[in-house]
Amino acid sequence: MKQPISEQVLKGKFLEMGIEDISRTTIRQCSMVGSALEEASGEKFSHLEFGIPGIPACKIGLEAQKKALDAGIPSIYPSVQGIPELKKNASRFVKAFIDIDISPKGIVPTVGSMQGSMTSILECSQLQPGKDTILYICPGFSAHGRQPDILGIKNLTFDIYEYRAERLRDKLESYFKQGNIAAILYSNPNNPAWICLTEEELQIIGELANKYDVIVLEDMAYLCMDFRKDMSVPFEPPFQSTVARYTDNYVILLSGSKIFSYAGERIAVVCISDKLYEREYPALKEKWGISKFGDNFILNYLYVNTSGASHSAQYALSAMFEASVDGRYNFVAELRNYGLRAHRSREIFDRHGFHLVYDKDMEQTISDGFFYTVGYRDLGNRELLETLLRCGIIAIPLNTTGSGQSGIRVCVSRLLSDDDFRLLDENLGLFEKLAGK
């Protein structure tokens, strides 16, 4: 881009699209504004907003899904519990890369982790009288935070920025001791900050979940993507960190979208701990006629929602799990491309005066991965985003992720070529000049 888009043109687009404050839009709205400006200016923009895979889909999954399609699977309703092969292979996958034992019975396919989280928070909010609120550790995936609002479920959030290590215990306990928290949800590695909860912090969450009978919903969308350690060898340490080592009150959300670049098929599994699956709740029995957590999840909440995930996609995910466990497919090696892109783009942002917002896991610098967060001097979210848009850069502001900090989320998935990095460098150079006025 040779010169910034004028403020008049930017405001005109906001008015045209009914946007009063760009820092309070959804990801989709923000992207639509950027695309409209891109079209109007005729200039190519740097797209940092969407967390979509930037690596081709795993061929093993494609072949397995094609085989299932050719066998006539599309004409047959899938079992809402999931096909036996997927349940078995997912159970082995969890053991191989997380080192946790979960029975195939508790492995349930969902239409992406989005359905898994939405169904989980719905059930958790109805388990016990008085426990009607979902707590979110933020920053987090903005759509997760909208789910309870859509369902009419009470929810609370807090920004983890100031609450690492033992300070996390005090913060969580301040909520849990009120007695109304049914479940807590977070992603690890974190979207958007890419911070990773330490073993100490996961132990704190697990201990408090036991003490106050709170269910932990652990989103592992970016499984094994903390590239500071090599978690690519099945059944050998180091393994993916998890709260499951410290509590039985957990549900793990495991998606094919990022780890296998299979986002378009909307396929994931919910992994319910054996003890939680079998736990009986009188409130469920009274309301739905079935007392067990796992049976209710499948036969009531999930069935009436979609009555099962895509039949052919289940065969794809099953094959990818199996190949990973057997050592025929190294999904972690494929994903390291994201770390390389993050490292290169972070250097560009640093060169133009930006700083990492969420920069540390205790004393350790965050890993290079799928996302990271940057801020610029003392610019607030709105001013920062507007200035970036004028200079050909589309991103989302941190306030939309539940963060109390100023900055943007950077997703590296669409930084594919040298030209993409050159464009980002040029556009940030333009930003630096404009912001310096």
Side-chain angles (χ1 to χ4, degrees), residues 172-386:
L172 286 177
E173 195 151 27
S174 72
Y175 289 105
F176 287 4
K177 69 183 181 183
Q178 296 176 34
N180 62 328
I181 302 300
I184 180 171
L185 189 151
Y186 59 84
S187 59
N188 194 39
N190 175 276
N191 172 5
W194 213 250
I195 55 176
C196 294
L197 296 172
T198 66
E199 286 297 322
E200 177 190 1
E201 290 167 330
L202 291 167
Q203 184 172 355
I204 287 169
I205 294 171
E207 289 173 352
L208 292 177
N210 292 335
K211 180 178 179 180
Y212 292 98
D213 198 13
V214 172
I215 294 173
V216 184
L217 306 177
E218 190 170 58
D219 180 10
M220 289 190 184
Y222 311 98
L223 178 85
C224 298
M225 290 174 67
D226 179 356
F227 300 125
R228 293 170 300 191
K229 48 191 176 182
D230 182 8
M231 294 178 277
S232 65
V233 183
F235 300 107
E236 291 187 15
F239 298 102
Q240 168 70 41
S241 297
T242 177
V243 75
R245 304 196 208 293
Y246 309 104
T247 182
D248 291 315
N249 289 345
Y250 70 85
V251 175
I252 293 173
L253 307 174
L254 194 57
S255 171
S257 293
K258 302 304 189 303
I259 61 176
F260 298 127
S261 299
Y262 228 73
E265 294 305 283
R266 307 303 305 127
I267 187 69
V269 288
V270 164
C271 308
I272 305 170
S273 86
D274 292 353
K275 287 190 177 180
L276 180 59
Y277 188 102
E278 299 294 336
R279 182 172 172 181
E280 297 188 3
Y281 290 89
L284 292 182
K285 179 72 172 179
E286 181 179 351
K287 190 175 183 67
W288 304 116
I290 301 175
S291 60
K292 288 185 179 179
F293 181 98
D295 290 344
N296 255 290
F297 183 92
I298 298 168
L299 301 175
N300 279 319
Y301 298 99
L302 199 59
Y303 176 72
V304 300
N305 194 335
T306 60
S307 69
S310 163
H311 208 167
S312 63
Q314 290 190 48
Y315 283 92
L317 187 58
S318 176
M320 292 185 289
F321 281 149
E322 183 179 40
S324 300
V325 172
D326 292 345
R328 292 182 285 111
Y329 179 65
N330 188 333
F331 72 95
V332 179
E334 294 279 347
L335 298 173
R336 287 189 183 280
N337 283 301
Y338 293 131
L340 298 174
R341 297 179 201 178
H343 183 78
R344 186 173 177 183
S345 58
R346 274 168 58 170
E347 287 183 333
I348 295 173
F349 272 101
D350 183 66
R351 189 161 61 247
H352 290 288
F354 285 78
H355 62 270
L356 286 174
V357 179
Y358 295 85
D359 59 344
K360 297 279 188 182
D361 288 326
M362 310 313 295
E363 300 303 319
Q364 195 173 15
T365 302
I366 63 165
S367 169
D368 290 318
F370 198 77
F371 297 116
Y372 58 92
T373 57
V374 293
Y376 188 81
R377 297 179 183 171
D378 59 351
L379 290 189
N381 288 307
R382 182 172 184 173
E383 185 181 359
L384 175 59
L385 201 60
E386 288 183 357

Side-chain angles (χ1 to χ4, degrees), residues 1 3-4 349 352-354 375-377 379-380 383-393 408 424-437:
M1 181 175 283
Q3 59 182 11
F349 272 101
H352 290 288
F354 285 78
Y376 188 81
R377 297 179 183 171
L379 290 189
E383 185 181 359
L384 175 59
L385 201 60
E386 288 183 357
T387 309
L388 286 168
L389 280 169
R390 290 181 60 191
C391 298
I393 298 170
I408 60 167
L424 177 63
D425 195 13
E426 291 171 5
N427 289 346
L428 285 175
L430 195 63
F431 167 89
E432 192 174 6
K433 293 178 182 176
L434 185 63
K437 288 185 178 179

